[in-house]
Each structure stands twice: as structure tokens, then as C-alpha cells.
Amino acid sequence: MKVLIVINVDWFFLSHRLPIAIEAQKRGYDVTIVCADTGRFEEIKAHGLKVIDAPFSRSGTSIKNELSTFKFIYKLFKREKPDLVHLVTIKPNIYGSLAASFFPKIKVINAISGMGYNFSEARKGFVQRAIGLLMQVGYKRKQVHFIFQNSTDFEDFVNMGLVTPDRAILIKGSGVDLQEFDFKLAKDTDDEGLIRFILPARMLYDKGVLVFVEAARLVKDNLFGKAKFILAGSVDLENKTGVPEAELLGMQIPGYIEWIGFQKNMLQVLTDSQVVVLPSYYREGVPKALIEACAIGRPIITTSMPGCKECVIDTVNGYIVAPKSIEQLAEKFNEIASDATLRIKMGASSRKIAEKEFSITHVIDETLKLYSKILAQ
């Protein structure tokens, strides 16, 4: 059976869907990855996977360019004649579902990895309405199935009439290798005697970058010399909520607030931390960084946003605060920094949650079960 995994960009495929593609290929599927090339195609090919460059712009809204993208996907499906297309991220979801409607034999899986910027408070105009209309057209066919990462998105799609429950399953997140990301008992402090609070994410306003920095500033009188607040992630100016590099550099306070940029070895970054923080007010799927933080056993402070809250049981393995609440976040910084025993206890609870809900083995098995089920129909 021929499978196309269509996803916005190469680095996102590598970080979030690579294990599924490798296992699908091992089980006899003919797998090709379709995504935009940012220079990491050789990494994909090194795993024995075929790859096709796609003209995806993650934030573009030019009607001409969007029509060109749809035309590319239509011609791709016509040429490749896949049995199944696994569509990941919103543009592949929508355009791929629409294109597949012209080819009744093609089965479709839409992986809904969060609703993202297009469904944030900032987007309440024409573009969002247009997206909603395209979803109504593309998603209603019986051949279109869904994988949701959190129950809120699942319920919203059902309530909007975009999907019926019999065409959807819930798989929390993209999974983590529990052997690679094994439990690592956190030290009370780092080598400098500081408690390291890490925000591991792309540098987006919607990820709560400014909230994190302002909350750190609010507790500076109490925690300076005791804690360090670290932003670990790349600039992403293709995203409309990307924080410019100059602004990130200007946020730094030597020895207290630091931006360390993109880190290839996130396992080491998380291991070196005492607390992982994601104050997102963005509709996530289930953030990969929080799943990994659970796996190695770190307490987490995050928000009540869909996706984020799936990783935390409040007061058990961390804290859930209101989105954009600098004061609540600052309060939790002080609280967790003052109690090393609590941090260790919460970290152990995080690992238990990861073992129960976030294993990559579970994610792969459930995904490939869905492949088999819909291809047999």
C-alpha cells in the first residue's frame, strides 16, 4: 500500500512523525514524505525514506500562492496514486482533504496537531471564516478520518459538524521514546547553585515568551542569585507571532534571564533543568517538549490551554495557571523554587504520567492500527 505523509516542513516531520514513518515502512508500506525543504532532506533520506519537496508556506495567505499549493497537491495525488494520505498540520489537512475528494479511492487521515494561530484570539476575520468553510467542504467525506491530540479539539470539531465520532480517534501527542528519554533525577540546583527554569519552544509570543520573562522579572528581588530563567528555542519569523532576535537579546539579564537559541540536544537541556515551563496561550496539540519533560521526570508549569493541560495534573506533577497571567506564573515560580523536595516529588509523578500516556510505542501502534482499519474498508 502506498502512503504519502504530507506535512508542512522537514524539521517538524523529523521531530514529530519520523518514528511512525519508519515503522510503517518496516511493516511493508511504501512511504513517501511530502514537505517543504529547509535543508534537512538528507536526514530524512538517511532513514531510507523517499521525500518530495512541497511549496508550503506556513503563514502565507496570498490567494495566488494558496491556489498554487492546492494545485501542487492535486497533481501530486494524481501522479502518485496513493492508497492513503496522512496529512499533518493545517494547510496539508485542508488542501489535502479537498484534493483527495477528486480521487474517491484515496483514504485520508488528518492529524490535528493543535488549532494554532489561525484559531487564536488574533484571528477572528475573513481568513478564519474562509478556513472554516474549506474545512466544511473537505472534512465531511466518509473517507476522511482524524487523529486528535487533545479532547478539546476533538469535541470542537464534533460540535462544529466537521467530523463524526466514528471517524476519529484520540492519541495524546506525538509520543516519546521512554528509553531514550528515561527518568533522570534532577539535582537540587545546577553547577552554579541555581534552579534552572527552562522554556523549551520556538520563540513565539503565543508560546508565552513575554509572560515567562515578565514573571521572572516580577520575582527578581526574591530569586536573583537563586534561579536562572532560560529561553531555549529558535527564532521563527515565518510565524506571525515570532519574537524578533533583537527583542530576545534585549530581554536578557546577565546571570538571570538568558536566551540560548536553538538546541539540537534538547534531552540535555531538559536534563540540566529543574523546572520546565510553557506559559502558552496558543491552541497546542500536545507540546512535544512537555511530553519529553514528563518522560525524564521534571515538574512542569503550564497553562489551561488545550494541549498544555493534558501534560499536567495540577499540584501533582506541576501547576496549571491561567493563560497570560504573569502574577500567577510568578507565584508558582516562587513556590516551586522554595521547595526542592516538592520538585523531586512532582518530577517522579511526571514520569508516571509519561509511562501511562505518552509512549512512542503506543502512538505508533494506534496510528498504524488506524492505517490498517481504513485501508481495509
Side-chain angles (χ1 to χ4, degrees), residues 120-145:
S120 69
E121 293 177 2
R123 298 297 286 270
K124 297 295 183 182
F126 170 77
V127 171
Q128 191 182 45
R129 291 195 298 272
I131 290 171
L133 179 61
L134 292 173
M135 286 177 169
Q136 291 282 351
V137 175
Y139 288 177
K140 285 194 170 183
R141 295 169 56 242
K142 289 182 179 180
Q143 291 94 332
V144 181
H145 295 74

Side-chain angles (χ1 to χ4, degrees), residues 6-269:
V6 187
I7 190 167
N8 58 357
V9 68
D10 51 8
W11 55 259
F12 190 76
F13 167 75
L14 286 165
S15 63
H16 287 71
R17 292 298 185 281
L18 176 62
I20 291 171
I22 291 172
E23 184 60 27
Q25 187 162 263
K26 285 180 180 177
R27 297 190 191 185
Y29 291 99
D30 177 6
V31 181
T32 300
I33 314 305
V34 182
C35 59
D37 182 7
T38 69
R40 301 187 69 180
F41 268 25
E42 291 306 314
E43 291 180 59
I44 298 174
K45 292 176 182 177
H47 293 280
L49 296 164
K50 292 174 287 187
V51 61
I52 295 173
D53 191 10
F56 293 143
S57 169
R58 289 184 293 131
S59 60
T61 55
S62 160
I63 292 176
K64 181 179 179 181
N65 290 342
E66 298 309 294
L67 287 173
S68 177
T69 301
F70 173 77
K71 186 177 180 181
F72 167 84
I73 294 175
Y74 174 85
K75 287 184 174 181
L76 175 75
F77 291 178
K78 185 176 182 180
R79 182 182 74 242
E80 296 293 324
K81 297 180 174 58
D83 298 287
L84 170 68
V85 291
H86 185 167
L87 309 172
V88 187
T89 63
I90 191 162
K91 286 189 179 181
N93 287 164
I94 294 173
Y95 298 157
S97 295
L98 288 169
S101 67
F102 292 92
F103 307 97
K105 292 183 179 180
I106 296 178
K107 305 295 177 64
V108 178
I109 295 176
N110 279 312
I112 307 299
S113 52
M115 301 295 278
Y117 175 70
N118 284 300
F119 290 85
S120 69
E121 293 177 2
R123 298 297 286 270
K124 297 295 183 182
F126 170 77
V127 171
Q128 191 182 45
R129 291 195 298 272
I131 290 171
L133 179 61
L134 292 173
M135 286 177 169
Q136 291 282 351
V137 175
Y139 288 177
K140 285 194 170 183
R141 295 169 56 242
K142 289 182 179 180
Q143 291 94 332
V144 181
H145 295 74
F146 294 81
I147 298 172
F148 291 95
Q149 292 195 353
N150 65 71
S151 57
T152 304
D153 289 347
F154 193 158
E155 291 165 6
D156 284 351
F157 270 59
V158 171
N159 292 336
M160 288 188 288
L162 296 173
V163 64
T164 53
D166 61 298
R167 292 191 289 120
I169 62 171
L170 180 65
I171 302 175
K172 286 190 176 183
S174 52
V176 62
D177 185 331
L178 293 174
Q179 293 183 323
E180 180 184 1
F181 285 77
D182 60 343
F183 180 75
K184 297 175 174 65
L185 185 66
K187 299 177 182 178
D188 289 348
T189 65
D190 67 7
D191 293 340
E192 298 175 316
L194 301 173
I195 300 163
R196 295 168 69 93
F197 290 82
I198 302 286
L199 192 164
R202 287 174 294 144
M203 295 293 101
L204 308 179
Y205 293 113
D206 284 358
K207 294 281 188 180
V209 169
L210 294 187
V211 177
F212 178 80
V213 170
E214 290 303 317
R217 287 174 176 165
L218 200 60
V219 296
K220 182 170 177 285
D221 288 346
N222 186 40
L223 294 184
F224 188 83
K226 301 176 184 177
K228 181 182 283 190
F229 295 84
I230 299 170
L231 298 158
S234 60
V235 172
D236 185 4
L237 294 182
E238 189 176 347
N239 189 294
K240 292 181 183 293
T241 72
V243 184
E245 181 176 350
E247 187 173 354
L248 289 164
L249 293 172
M251 293 175 184
Q252 298 184 104
I253 298 174
Y256 186 64
I257 297 174
E258 181 180 355
W259 172 50
I260 61 174
F262 171 75
Q263 300 292 306
K264 191 167 185 177
N265 189 354
M266 281 306 301
L267 174 57
Q268 191 60 53
V269 172

